[in-house]
Amino acid sequence: MTEKYDVIVVGAGPAGSMASLILARAGKKVLLLDKASFPRHKVCGDCLNPRIWALWKKYGLVDSFKTLPQTALEGLRIEHDQETLLRRNFESLKESYISIDREIFDAWLVQEAIKSGVVFIHETRVQTVHFSGKVETSVGDFQGDWILGADGRNSVVSRNAGLMAPLQNCRRVGWQAHLELENLDSDLHLRFFSEGYSGLSRIHDQKANLWMVLDSKVSGIPQKIANRYFPHLPALVWHSITPVNRRPSALGKGKIWLIGDAARVVEPFTGEGVYFALLSAELAVKSILNVKRAEEVAGALLNYQRDHELLCHSQIRPGFILRWLLRSPERAYRWIPLIRYFPGPVSRIINRLIGI
Ligand SMILES: Cc1cc2nc3c(=O)[nH]c(=O)nc-3n(C[C@H](O)[C@H](O)[C@H](O)COP(=O)(O)OP(=O)(O)OC[C@H]3O[C@@H](n4cnc5c(N)ncnc54)[C@H](O)[C@@H]3O)c2cc1C
């Protein structure tokens, strides 16, 4: 007979690992599944919003996190082609804005979940989930009481459970490459150009992360754009991801719920995605742990929906004008230079995004 788990978590990104860790520490029997072979690469800007420190403190993860190779960012520059429009110094931040390789970060959080008692199986692709709690995978079937879909922006769980909103026509593709750059400062460089925008930051030593969000019409040429600003850059290995934006999914049905990007995708520019994934995981688990009887499931889902809405309201709304601009590369390229004339409001938006 198949072994039964209290919760099966699909996807071992930040949302899935965090949810598993909290559930296991609360005494639940948790199975965490991922299709990738860990540690695995992840298309990301590799920057962690300073608000994550509050979570590390809450779950006793500060010392362990600090052992990982990382860079404390010293500032944020908004650039338009070769010109710097604005620099925000991070000196006054109480907690550091961290740049860290997602391959290292995600593998670390999985290890912390395992230390907390989670059973983790990688190289296991989830194919179908059922409301009975059955999970069909590439290596066999598993049985859970709850299923948490933390399988990212193209979530199989969301599609299977009928939670995914119809696809929006997304005209943008996300690109990312790691590179060696001598003499790179410790600022996060957010650059606008006619085809889209990019982020560049040191992750550790001379290793840096360069990512871009490009209009899909020009998406074959991230290297050409990179060479425009760094003429001596060798050919890089580029990874891509799509869609960049999509409509939010319904958060759950019965005992199948969604967290992280599977529930709602956050605009890459604001650097909130990982924090948002961690927090949505915590909110979902809090509601699940309150359920003592079957009749309480629907109420728990309502609570999660309310908390999630509040999270989106507080985290996502402050930058809505920015997001409106970013959805169209031409629009952003034309209007972004105006921020020179509004340093006050722009600084306030940045403050809200980084939680100060
Ligand atoms: C270009 C770009 C730059 C970004 N930069 C930043 C940034 O600097 N800072 C930031 O905070 N956010 C950034 N983000 C957003 C951030 O990457 C995501 O919000 C974050 O990774 C979401 O975490 P998650 O755990 O929900 O999903 P993911 O990290 O996507 O993890 C999902 C996991 O599910 C697994 N999986 C998927 N399907 C299956 C399946 N069928 N079976 C089993 N496993 C499966 C995958 O292998 C993966 O490990 C960026 C996004 C883009 C596109």
Side-chain angles (χ1 to χ4, degrees), residues 49-235:
N49 189 293
R51 284 186 258 218
I52 49 119
W53 289 102
L55 282 171
W56 298 164
K57 279 180 197 152
K58 191 165 171 185
Y59 294 100
L61 296 171
V62 172
D63 291 342
S64 167
F65 178 77
K66 280 185 174 168
T67 63
L68 304 176
Q70 56 192 270
T71 295
L73 294 170
E74 291 171 1
L76 165 79
R77 286 171 197 263
I78 300 187
E79 299 164 344
H80 189 255
D81 278 329
Q82 307 282 9
E83 183 191 1
T84 299
L85 300 174
L86 179 143
R87 180 174 187 271
R88 170 67 211 267
N89 197 317
F90 285 164
E91 247 171 29
S92 60
L93 291 186
K94 281 199 214 95
E95 306 284 11
S96 310
Y97 204 129
I98 296 295
S99 177
I100 186 169
D101 190 337
R102 278 289 301 276
E103 184 169 326
I104 295 173
F105 171 68
D106 288 20
W108 165 77
L109 202 51
V110 166
Q111 284 308 317
E112 290 298 333
I114 294 170
K115 277 194 229 162
S116 303
V118 171
V119 177
F120 173 58
I121 313 181
H122 65 162
E123 298 176 11
T124 302
R125 180 183 291 273
V126 169
Q127 290 155 338
T128 316
V129 295
H130 300 267
F131 285 100
S132 62
K134 183 170 149 188
V135 175
E136 292 177 32
T137 80
S138 52
V139 302
D141 298 350
F142 298 93
Q143 186 66 40
D145 187 20
W146 292 80
I147 298 169
L148 271 184
D151 47 343
R153 61 189 66 216
N154 292 305
S155 168
V156 166
V157 176
S158 168
R159 205 170 356 205
N160 268 203
L163 301 170
M164 193 177 267
L167 256 187
Q168 211 170 1
N169 182 19
C170 175
R171 281 179 45 207
R172 299 179 301 156
V173 179
W175 293 91
Q176 185 260 345
H178 283 141
L179 60 153
E180 299 279 326
L181 266 187
E182 278 175 39
N183 306 321
L184 177 65
D185 58 31
S186 296
D187 281 359
L188 166 59
H189 296 254
L190 292 171
R191 188 193 304 270
F192 288 87
F193 40 83
S194 56
E195 302 92 339
Y197 65 89
S198 68
L200 172 70
S201 61
R202 171 200 299 282
I203 41 180
H204 59 83
D205 303 325
Q206 289 184 1
K207 192 171 174 188
N209 183 346
L210 176 60
W211 56 276
M212 296 185 190
V213 172
L214 299 182
D215 194 293
S216 52
K217 282 182 283 184
V218 293
S219 60
I221 54 162
Q223 179 75 36
K224 213 165 117 191
I225 294 171
N227 283 122
R228 198 189 295 159
Y229 303 103
F230 304 99
H232 304 298
L233 216 55

Side-chain angles (χ1 to χ4, degrees), residues 10-16 33-36 38 40 42-49 97 102 106 124-127 150-156 174-176 211-213 241 243-244 259-262 264 266-275 277:
V10 183
L33 301 173
D34 202 290
K35 66 180 181 185
F38 266 66
R40 57 101 177 91
K42 175 81 186 100
V43 173
C44 187
D46 289 351
C47 292
L48 299 182
N49 189 293
Y97 204 129
R102 278 289 301 276
D106 288 20
T124 302
R125 180 183 291 273
V126 169
Q127 290 155 338
D151 47 343
R153 61 189 66 216
N154 292 305
S155 168
V156 166
W175 293 91
Q176 185 260 345
W211 56 276
M212 296 185 190
V213 172
I241 195 165
V244 172
I259 54 178
D261 274 7
R264 186 166 184 150
V266 179
E267 178 71 38
F269 184 84
T270 65
E272 297 168 295
V274 170
Y275 174 70

